Amino acid sequence: MEFMDLALAQARQALNRLEVPVGCVIVENGRVIASGSNRTNETRNATRHAEMEAIDMLLPRWECSSHEDFSKRFAGCELYVTCEPCIMCAAALSLLGIGKVFYGCKNDRFGGCGSILSLHSNGVGHCASEAPESAGGMTYPCVGGIMAEEAIGLFREFYEQGNPKAPKPHRPVLSRIST
C-alpha cells in the first residue's frame, strides 16, 4: 500500500534518529496532508508519538475556529501508522473524530485499537448507558496487519541496536550507519 509505505519511511527516519521506529501519515481525499514519526527521545517528552506529531502539523494549517470544525474536517481523514496506536493516541483519535485508521503490527503492550483496549470501537469515556459520542469520543473503523512484517522488522532493528534513552541498566547502543 502506497500510504503505508510512506508511514514506513517515516518510521525509518525515526530509527535513524535512535527513536522507537513508528511513523504515520494522515490522508485526506487521497492526498497526504501530514506525517510524523516518534520524537520521544529527542524531545524527552513521552507524548511525542508519531500520531501526535502529525496531528500537530494540522492544527495551524486548518485554522479551525472550534473543536467541532476540526472534528468535521478530521472525520474525512484516514491515518496510516506502522504500529497499532497506543491507548493515548487511540483516545486522542477518538476525541478528534478520525475517519479511519490503518495500522501495521499489533501493540501487545499498549494497544488502544483492540490489543489491550478497544477505544476505536468503544470511544473514550464510554459507559453502558450512553453513546460514545455523548461522552466526548467517536468510534472509528480500524484495519490492522497492513505490512506488519516490515514494521516488526524495524522494531527488531531498533531493539537489536539498543535504546540510548532506556532506563539504566540497558544494553550498549550499537553505532548506526544511516542508509
Side-chain angles (χ1 to χ4, degrees), residues 3 13 23 33 39 46 51 86 102 105 119 128 145 148 150 167 176 179:
F3 297 125
Q13 288 178 18
I33 59 170
R39 293 183 55 233
E51 298 93 330
C86 72
F102 299 90
C105 61
L119 298 175
E150 291 87 336
R176 176 146 180 87
T179 55

Side-chain angles (χ1 to χ4, degrees), residues 17-136:
R17 294 189 322 268
L18 300 177
E19 297 280 354
V20 176
V22 177
C24 78
V25 295
I26 298 175
V27 176
E28 183 180 44
N29 298 321
R31 187 173 67 86
V32 174
I33 59 170
S35 61
S37 60
N38 276 7
R39 293 183 55 233
T40 57
N41 289 341
E42 175 187 339
T43 62
R44 296 179 187 213
N45 181 340
T47 68
R48 302 319 308 159
H49 291 191
E51 298 93 330
M52 298 301 191
E53 290 289 309
I55 290 166
D56 282 353
M57 288 180 74
L58 297 178
L59 294 173
R61 286 187 197 164
W62 282 354
E63 299 177 12
C64 296
S65 59
S66 69
H67 174 75
E68 290 77 24
D69 290 343
F70 186 86
S71 290
K72 284 179 188 172
R73 181 105 187 248
F74 207 56
C77 295
E78 298 173 339
L79 182 129
Y80 293 79
V81 63
T82 57
C83 183
E84 176 186 357
C86 72
I87 293 165
M88 174 186 71
C89 292
L93 294 169
S94 173
L95 289 169
L96 293 171
I98 187 72
K100 191 168 188 175
V101 171
F102 299 90
Y103 68 85
C105 61
K106 288 185 175 190
N107 184 341
D108 292 332
R109 292 185 68 200
F110 306 108
C113 292
S115 291
I116 302 300
L117 294 178
S118 297
L119 298 175
H120 69 293
S121 62
N122 297 333
V124 176
H126 177 62
C127 65
S129 64
E130 61 185 344
E133 292 79 7
S134 67

